[in-house]
Amino acid sequence: MSVRQGLLALLADAPMHAYQLRHEFEQRTGGTWPLNMGQVSTTLDRLVRDELVAPLDVDADDVVRYHLTHTGRAELERWWTTAVVRSAPARDELSIKLALAVSAPGVDVCVIVQTQRTETMRALRDLTRLKADLPASGWTREDLAWSLVLDHLIFAAEAEVRWLDHVEARVARATDKGIVLAPRAASGELPPAEQAAREHVADGGAR
């Protein structure tokens, strides 16, 4: 989640100072994406620079509160009504790790998969317990927000387990067919069709 848009969304509720913004952000997302004060302060400075947020007043402790400007509300409304772009894949460490492992000599990909599956299943159990700890009734806005974040994390963990099963099966089939999982030639050249496909993904599928 963009910290910039997140702070705008919080300031749409009421003026807040930096410490309140950090607290509200972490509370509403269940502490899943913790912020440090440096992130909050830097983002606020940029929002003020871009005239999306403005200082409102200083309280008795000399702490500045900020409020959303008209321009900031328009920016926030654009965010609410614009889909999150998924064309450019995120740099996922596990995907990169396995992609490199299958072409690295002496690396047992199945061991990596099994180790990761154990960890992902552990995380999935922890997330499921957190979901079970939510109140059965009388939910607040924060409870609902945290529940939705938990659902996303649970679905993502379940999908990761399925993907790891798929990786293990693909590697087993490749081994059975005698495919050598080794690095490419030193030139690093790809077949034209594969090169075109990878460039298409890197460009966000625009071509």
Side-chain angles (χ1 to χ4, degrees):
M1 176 181 178
S2 167
V3 175
R4 177 185 177 93
Q5 275 74 24
L7 298 190
L8 290 178
L10 293 172
L11 289 171
D13 281 354
M16 299 183 198
H17 55 65
Y19 294 100
Q20 287 175 307
L21 286 166
R22 184 181 70 170
H23 173 76
E24 286 294 320
F25 184 93
E26 294 184 353
Q27 182 179 46
R28 297 196 195 187
T29 60
T32 306
W33 299 283
L35 299 179
N36 59 55
M37 286 308 302
Q39 285 178 288
V40 176
S41 298
T42 299
T43 304
L44 279 172
D45 288 343
R46 291 172 179 168
L47 291 171
V48 170
R49 178 200 64 193
D50 296 339
E51 299 183 346
L52 302 176
V53 162
L56 182 64
D57 55 28
V58 179
D59 63 19
D61 297 320
D62 290 331
V63 177
V64 180
R65 291 196 308 158
Y66 297 85
H67 74 102
L68 210 56
T69 64
H70 292 300
T71 305
R73 289 189 182 278
E75 175 69 17
L76 180 60
E77 183 60 28
R78 279 192 292 273
W79 187 55
W80 291 138
T81 57
T82 303
V84 175
V85 177
R86 296 295 190 194
S87 58
R91 288 187 177 89
D92 177 73
E93 181 181 354
L94 179 57
S95 299
I96 294 170
K97 183 178 185 179
L98 284 167
L100 295 174
V102 297
S103 60
V107 176
D108 191 331
V109 179
C110 289
V111 170
I112 295 176
V113 169
Q114 291 162 8
T115 301
Q116 185 62 47
R117 186 188 291 111
T118 299
E119 168 57 23
T120 305
M121 291 297 297
R122 181 204 61 76
L124 182 56
R125 287 192 296 270
D126 289 346
L127 292 167
T128 303
R129 279 196 292 268
L130 287 172
K131 186 70 181 290
D133 289 340
L134 286 169
S137 60
W139 279 21
T140 63
R141 289 192 311 169
E142 288 75 16
D143 291 331
L144 177 58
W146 176 220
S147 174
L148 294 175
V149 171
L150 276 175
D151 285 341
H152 172 75
L153 296 174
I154 288 170
F155 294 158
E158 291 172 341
E160 184 166 286
V161 171
R162 292 195 299 272
W163 180 68
L164 288 168
D165 292 343
H166 170 76
V167 170
E168 192 171 48
R170 287 287 303 275
V171 170
R173 286 199 298 272
T175 302
D176 289 343
K177 292 179 180 178
I179 297 175
V180 178
L181 301 181
R184 295 182 184 274
S187 65
E189 292 182 359
L190 299 173
E194 185 176 349
Q195 181 64 41
R198 294 190 183 202
E199 289 176 356
H200 179 75
V201 171
D203 291 343
R207 295 191 293 174

